[in-house]
Amino acid sequence: MASLHEVARVARQIAPTAVGAAGSTTSAAAQVAATCDLSNEFDGRLGLRISAIFVILVGSLFGATFPVYAARHKGVGVPEWAFFIAKYFGSGVIIATAFIHLLAPANEALSNECLTGAITEYPWVEGIALMTVFTMFFVELMAMRFDVFGSGHGHSHSHTNDDDHEHHKHTDPSNSSSQIPYHDSPTLTTSHTPGDDHLGHSRDHIEHDPALDINDPEKNVDGTPRRRSQPIEDYAAQITAICILEFGVIFHSVFVGLTLAVAGDEFKTLYVVLVFHQTFEGLGLGSRLATTPWPPSKRRWTPYLFGLGYALSTPLAIAIGLGVRQSWAPGSATALIVNGVFDSISAGILVYTGLVELMAHEFMFSPTMRRSKVRVMLAAFGMMALGAGLMALLGKWA
């Protein structure tokens, strides 16, 4: 009996200790959950913040629309090699944006110690980006398989013999780097920036395609002849591709603008870095808009509207951030999750676009790039690496 009394006494002593330990664990968890910052670091300087709206607007608008304008107005005096540089430099910027300015911030947001629950139990950033890449590939795969957009990927490539293939030979485009016809030209020319085509095989047949009107003075932006009847599906396919790219950069730009609006001590540094960041990113988008063969009926204003949409994203976000500066908390759980999820989606889009559309298609799948001189190919690669390197460097501050 004595032993039973002893056991009971020990149990009574242990029970409060266990309850206290459980309580302390719960309290610690509550403290961790409460570390989400429900304020921001806004410290005044309202005039300087308002100026950021207009400075970034000008930089973004210039980067996104000037390539389009210069491509159509030869009298501006922009040399053709400048378009070559802008095209591949911009491609590098877009690729670096995916990895440095989207994946890294998304990881930082979704791994914040104040978050709890399922969001902390899985590497969601990589998972969301992976799902986005597969979604993008599936959509393009189905579009090509069923020729959903009438984009021409399904045309026949069969040749009865080698003589037929000889019939489709063109002049050596290796010297095309010095004559890059981004402007409208009244005469037919097949020279273009190496890698200018989306799927290079389509250009192999351009001079002998009966659907092309060689004598039509209205050319696509890249100087190639347009089809006599440009189906609305072709335009839809181009719009889809540009929308995907724009979607990827705009959502990132929105959150960047909100962050700048309520930034504290690092505001000045962030201000300067974002001016270059948005200008370079706009240049990447603008070079795409300039080389897209828009249908004549849509060519006049459509690329400018896309450029304007991008240019307005960050300034509008800054204005909204200033308007809600008393309540906007970028460190709150909701803001962290929303920011992290959208950055992950945008990263997946730009990773796919960068690696597939901007690298594989324009270097390995482009017959012009494959036949061009080595120095042309190396110059294009160097410009892409330079754009990626500079954008990655900006990631040190923003």
Side-chain angles (χ1 to χ4, degrees), residues 312-323:
L312 290 175
S313 58
T314 299
L316 285 178
I318 296 174
I320 293 172
L322 291 176

Side-chain angles (χ1 to χ4, degrees), residues 205-206 208-214 225-230:
H205 305 274
I206 192 169
H208 303 282
D209 190 338
L212 297 175
D213 191 352
I214 295 178
R226 67 179 178 87
R227 295 180 179 273
R228 292 190 181 95
S229 58
Q230 185 109 21

Side-chain angles (χ1 to χ4, degrees), residues 47-57 260 267 271 275 315 318:
L48 191 59
R49 295 175 194 270
I50 292 176
S51 72
I53 297 176
F54 300 99
V55 173
I56 292 179
L57 173 63
L260 180 63
F267 171 76
Y271 184 173
V275 170
I318 296 174

Side-chain angles (χ1 to χ4, degrees), residues 237-266:
Q238 295 161 17
I239 290 294
T240 301
I242 294 296
C243 281
I244 288 172
L245 177 59
E246 185 138 331
F247 179 89
V249 297
I250 278 184
F251 277 99
H252 170 57
S253 299
V254 168
F255 289 107
V256 163
L258 290 172
T259 301
L260 180 63
V262 296
D265 294 337
E266 74 279 10

Side-chain angles (χ1 to χ4, degrees), residues 174-185:
S174 60
N175 297 324
S176 62
S177 60
S178 60
Q179 296 181 359
I180 307 173
Y182 282 85
H183 54 82
D184 294 332
S185 172

Side-chain angles (χ1 to χ4, degrees), residues 162-180:
D162 293 339
D163 293 336
D164 289 338
H165 199 70
E166 290 293 324
H167 178 66
H168 293 280
K169 285 186 176 179
H170 312 298
T171 58
D172 184 6
S174 60
N175 297 324
S176 62
S177 60
S178 60
Q179 296 181 359
I180 307 173

Side-chain angles (χ1 to χ4, degrees), residues 100-125:
I100 306 299
H101 297 270
L102 289 172
L103 279 179
N107 262 310
E108 182 179 353
L110 295 187
S111 62
N112 193 292
E113 62 180 6
C114 81
L115 298 179
T116 60
I119 198 70
T120 64
E121 299 171 358
Y122 186 81
W124 284 107
V125 173

